[in-house]
Amino acid sequence: MMKTGIYNRLLDILDEKHIACDEYLRKHTYTKLGGKADFFVTPDQYEQVQEVVRLCHDENIPLTLIGNGSNLIVRDGGIRGVVLSLANLNKITATGTKIIAQSGASIIDTSRKALEAHLTGLEFACGIPGTVGGAVFMNAGAYGGEMKDVLESCLVVDKHGEIVKRDAKDLDLSYRHSNIAENGDFVLEATFQLKEGNYEEIKAVMDDLTFKRESKQPLEYPSCGSVFKRPPGYFAGKLIQDSGLQGTRIGGAEVSKKHAGFIVNINNATATEYISLIEHVQKTVKEKFGVSLEREVRIIGEDLKK
Ligand SMILES: Cc1cc2nc3c(=O)[nH]c(=O)nc-3n(C[C@H](O)[C@H](O)[C@H](O)COP(=O)(O)OP(=O)(O)OC[C@H]3O[C@@H](n4cnc5c(N)ncnc54)[C@H](O)[C@@H]3O)c2cc1C
């Protein structure tokens, strides 16, 4: 279908202020990288999400969902078809010992809501800069906790546009992994089962974790957090540090001097530069220590056409 045809079909679903054409994705990614999306849509109702999914499925239009872009590198040529952001679906509700959060809500705000409701279990997530949907998708975790520990279920839109409830046990949650992509699901909301706790104790844990994060991580620069998964028996950051890679630069991308596991965008890096630096780190660590570093960050989109 031609671009004007797609635009007109999207206008049947959303009003024009929720459809941006040729939108730079670097405005929507934490790394500040990425070319343009043909269409960037921001629905604020579940039915609109369903209809966008149905349209793309029926008309064979590529559909990509992004959360807060904190675990994503979008290549410089951007993304064809429709990019869906659920940022407007961001309500968080506490009922009893459960928190129900829409998928575009920030996981940091969700952990704060749990604190306000005197609920314990989400403290570990208080500094993870993703959305609820992205955190469930990645089974995000930190400081000994992960989504798997607290997620009860989620509502998803399946690839046919139907809303379906999935129990957490059916999501195959493991270290930075779920089966959400394999199933072609889009997470709409998540229900977390927490426990009653003491406000001061929950707050003390969150303050401590925030202090640890701020003192160790280069939060002053755009990045995608830890670039690599933890290789069995090693720490990625230590291997990178011991390879003497800290401070290595390609263009505007640099292996952080503060935390070797991070690559920071210090000066308007392109995605090509950032990805080249990732590959350079992988190659160097493999040569020095024989360890293959597997990426945690996801790379999507097209290279710039020459
Ligand atoms: C400074 C910094 C610190 C970080 N610290 C941690 C940490 O301690 N622990 C940790 O685990 N991660 C950490 N991360 C990585 C990142 O924040 C997490 O992976 C987060 O869960 C990604 O969420 P997001 O909304 O940004 O997802 P995105 O990066 O936008 O997307 C990641 C993937 O999830 C998919 N996705 C997003 N939303 C949905 C949805 N609603 N339905 C279906 N699929 C969806 C996307 O399609 C994509 O494939 C850190 C990142 C940064 C920049």
Side-chain angles (χ1 to χ4, degrees):
M1 195 188 283
M2 302 286 286
K3 269 177 103 170
T4 42
I6 299 176
Y7 185 70
N8 287 333
R9 294 291 298 275
L10 287 170
L11 271 180
D12 293 337
I13 305 172
L14 299 145
D15 66 40
E16 58 192 21
K17 56 177 204 298
H18 295 289
I19 312 169
C21 301
D22 292 325
E23 175 79 352
Y24 267 114
L25 291 166
R26 69 185 60 135
K27 289 176 16 196
H28 303 281
T29 54
Y30 214 83
T31 42
K32 303 282 173 255
L33 301 172
K36 292 173 181 170
D38 291 342
F39 300 99
F40 185 81
V41 301
T42 48
D44 52 18
Q45 293 166 30
Y46 288 177
E47 296 72 32
Q48 294 170 334
V49 180
Q50 291 178 272
E51 287 188 45
V52 169
V53 170
R54 280 193 196 116
L55 168 67
C56 293
H57 180 263
D58 295 350
E59 300 293 343
N60 229 350
I61 302 165
L63 174 62
T64 308
L65 197 152
I66 67 165
N68 199 29
S70 65
N71 197 46
L72 274 185
I73 296 171
V74 178
R75 291 192 181 89
D76 298 316
I79 299 183
R80 302 292 66 80
V82 174
V83 172
L84 177 62
S85 160
L86 303 183
N88 291 332
L89 291 164
N90 55 17
K91 269 204 217 77
I92 310 169
T93 333
T95 23
T97 53
K98 293 189 204 296
I99 297 269
I100 301 169
Q102 290 187 321
S103 131
S106 110
I107 195 71
I108 295 177
D109 289 347
T110 310
S111 70
R112 289 196 186 126
K113 184 79 177 186
L115 167 68
E116 280 165 30
H118 300 213
L119 296 174
T120 178
L122 264 176
E123 294 88 328
F124 74 88
C126 70
I128 300 178
T131 59
V132 166
V136 170
F137 180 98
M138 290 301 300
N139 186 27
Y143 302 110
E146 55 181 357
M147 286 294 127
K148 189 181 176 190
D149 303 335
V150 283
L151 183 71
E152 180 182 89
S153 63
C154 51
L155 278 192
V156 306
V157 174
D158 72 10
K159 54 178 176 266
H160 304 290
E162 299 304 320
I163 295 185
V164 184
K165 183 178 167 197
R166 304 248 188 254
D167 288 332
K169 64 176 169 34
D170 298 325
L171 297 178
D172 193 20
L173 298 172
S174 57
Y175 177 58
R176 304 299 171 264
H177 169 87
S178 71
N179 62 12
I180 290 167
E182 289 144 50
N183 291 342
D185 286 343
F186 301 99
V187 179
L188 277 185
E189 67 177 48
T191 300
F192 299 103
Q193 177 63 67
L194 306 176
K195 291 199 176 88
E196 275 172 26
N198 173 287
Y199 181 92
E200 294 305 331
E201 285 170 20
I202 299 166
K203 184 163 183 308
V205 173
M206 288 169 70
D207 288 348
D208 179 47
L209 296 184
T210 303
F211 174 77
K212 285 196 175 118
R213 215 174 252 280
E214 285 174 354
S215 52
K216 292 201 179 117
Q217 298 185 354
L219 302 179
E220 60 280 23
Y221 292 113
S223 78
C224 57
S226 299
V227 178
F228 304 103
K229 293 188 180 182
R230 199 176 47 240
Y234 298 92
F235 288 101
K238 177 93 172 64
L239 291 169
I240 296 166
Q241 192 178 350
D242 293 348
S243 301
L245 283 161
Q246 278 183 289
T248 304
R249 281 190 196 182
I250 296 185
E254 181 181 273
V255 179
S256 168
K257 293 176 190 137
K258 190 167 175 188
H259 186 314
F262 281 52
I263 291 181
V264 283
N265 179 356
I266 53 162
N267 189 13
N268 299 317
T270 62
T272 307
E273 291 164 354
Y274 202 96
I275 294 167
S276 302
L277 189 52
I278 292 177
E279 289 167 356
H280 176 68
V281 168
Q282 285 174 312
K283 188 165 165 281
T284 310
V285 168
K286 180 78 183 168
E287 279 167 9
K288 295 221 167 159
F289 295 102
V291 179
S292 302
L293 291 179
E294 189 194 337
R295 266 192 290 107
E296 176 172 326
V297 64
R298 300 170 69 83
I299 300 178
I300 58 175
E302 296 180 351
D303 284 321
L304 259 189
K305 292 207 174 64
K306 300 239 163 77

